[in-house]
Amino acid sequence: MTIEQLSASRAHGGVQGVYRHASAATGTDMVFSVFVPDHAPDARLPVVWYLSGLTCTHANVTEKGEFRATCAELGLIFVAPDTSPRGDGVADDPGYDLGQGAGFYVDAVRAPWAPHFAMRTYIETELPALVAAHFPADMARQSIMGHSMGGHGALTIGLRNPGRFRAVSAFAPIVAPSQVPWGQKALSAYLGDDRAAWRAHDAVALIEDGARLPELLVDQGMDDAFLGEQLRPELLAAACADAGIPLTLRRHIGYDHSYYFISTLMADQLRWHGARLAGAAGPEGVGPEGVGPEGVGQGAG
């Protein structure tokens, strides 16, 4: 399990690195970024996984996410994988919502996707082993977050692996891909038309089928162009209420789907993760400017 360092930059009392390796899961080279704060020589640091959305690579959050200062303060390693396999010979689609840049964190079983699109195995198994081998990571203290398609990935991976992550959160996630156009297109292409097979890749369906987590945090911009058709946070709220899962769903007036929104909330979500990774309960009802105690934006933006 060797990796190649593509770049390393000093930032906020730590090192932001970008790495490449040959993936057995995807059969391609994969690139990912890792921020490691300064630490004692023998220290092992908790790990926060960040899964990106449609069309993104590792670079979007690495360059725009504004996470490093908070990760350095809290002593958190921040790992940002790519969203799909890439390269010559890797299947693609003219649409932005399928193929390269749109792996949906599933293991494809249908042609032409099956040879390379094994993002579930890559994220759940291969990359964690690589991070554990090459970085000062405390794999007993992990959490996961993501945005949009990556929010879908964070929720579903967290629900399928309830003992692995101490915290699970998302920015504007696709909560029920089986019920929205983005998800229906991708799941049918990658997994086939048997909707029963989709349920392991749908957060709402997983909860309906008995998956449980101690709590969830979701931030959603109310000026998000994809809110009504593709994201549907009300479906997650209903599923969590029926299952007795505490969900903090914070609605932010004036915010859209972009990294302006994500960067605004990033430090707040990381503090929420940090409290749980440290084994302590975080403060309730605390959010960034413009968020009231009920988690509803009070004219911010």
Side-chain angles (χ1 to χ4, degrees):
M1 294 196 299
T2 60
I3 62 174
E4 176 190 0
Q5 182 175 282
L6 301 181
S7 66
S9 301
R10 186 85 178 143
H12 291 284
V15 175
Q16 178 63 66
V18 178
Y19 306 90
R20 178 168 58 207
H21 73 109
S23 168
T26 68
T28 67
D29 284 351
M30 296 292 290
V31 177
F32 63 99
S33 74
V34 181
F35 176 73
V36 180
D38 289 348
H39 56 281
D42 297 329
R44 311 300 287 184
L45 305 180
V47 180
V48 178
W49 296 88
Y50 179 91
L51 304 185
S52 295
L54 289 166
T55 76
C56 291
T57 71
H58 72 282
N60 295 75
V61 68
T62 304
E63 296 171 2
K64 302 176 185 178
E66 299 183 21
F67 56 86
R68 279 173 285 271
T70 306
C71 285
E73 175 191 340
L74 300 177
L76 304 175
I77 293 174
F78 190 94
V79 182
D82 202 346
T83 54
S84 79
R86 302 176 191 271
D88 294 340
V90 176
D92 203 3
D93 185 87
Y96 72 94
D97 52 357
L98 188 67
Q100 296 187 38
F104 268 84
Y105 304 100
V106 306
D107 285 355
V109 299
R110 295 190 68 190
W113 315 105
H116 300 293
F117 281 74
M119 291 303 294
R120 174 179 178 174
T121 296
Y122 180 69
I123 298 296
E124 289 189 354
T125 304
E126 184 176 22
L127 191 56
L130 202 70
V131 167
H134 291 277
F135 298 92
D138 180 355
M139 303 305 282
R141 290 187 293 161
Q142 298 183 69
S143 69
I144 191 166
M145 60 165 59
H147 169 234
S148 194
M149 179 186 71
H152 140 76
L155 294 175
T156 55
I157 291 170
L159 286 161
R160 289 195 304 261
N161 299 275
R164 180 181 297 186
F165 302 104
R166 294 195 183 184
V168 179
S169 72
F171 303 97
I174 306 169
V175 305
S178 301
Q179 301 185 51
V180 302
W182 275 343
Q184 290 165 350
K185 178 179 179 179
L187 295 179
S188 62
Y190 297 141
L191 303 178
D193 296 328
D194 180 6
R195 285 179 171 255
W198 298 7
R199 297 185 69 82
H201 306 282
D202 181 309
V204 168
L206 281 164
I207 292 169
E208 291 173 348
D209 292 345
R212 296 292 182 267
L213 287 170
E215 59 183 332
L216 289 171
L217 170 63
V218 171
D219 283 300
Q220 176 62 59
M222 298 309 291
D223 281 20
D224 190 320
F226 305 111
L227 176 59
E229 183 179 25
Q230 305 284 10
L231 306 180
R232 305 290 304 278
E234 72 279 2
L235 299 177
L236 181 65
C240 286
D242 290 343
I245 298 174
L247 167 67
T248 302
L249 173 57
R250 305 189 298 192
R251 301 172 174 90
H252 303 272
I253 295 170
Y255 287 91
D256 60 16
H257 200 68
S258 72
Y259 269 86
Y260 295 111
F261 167 63
I262 296 167
S263 64
T264 300
L265 277 298
M266 179 63 81
D268 192 66
Q269 282 213 12
L270 285 171
R271 292 185 189 285
W272 186 85
H273 282 252
R276 285 144 184 84
L277 288 165
E284 298 299 329
V286 177
E289 181 182 0
V291 181
E294 299 302 318
V296 179
Q298 306 295 315

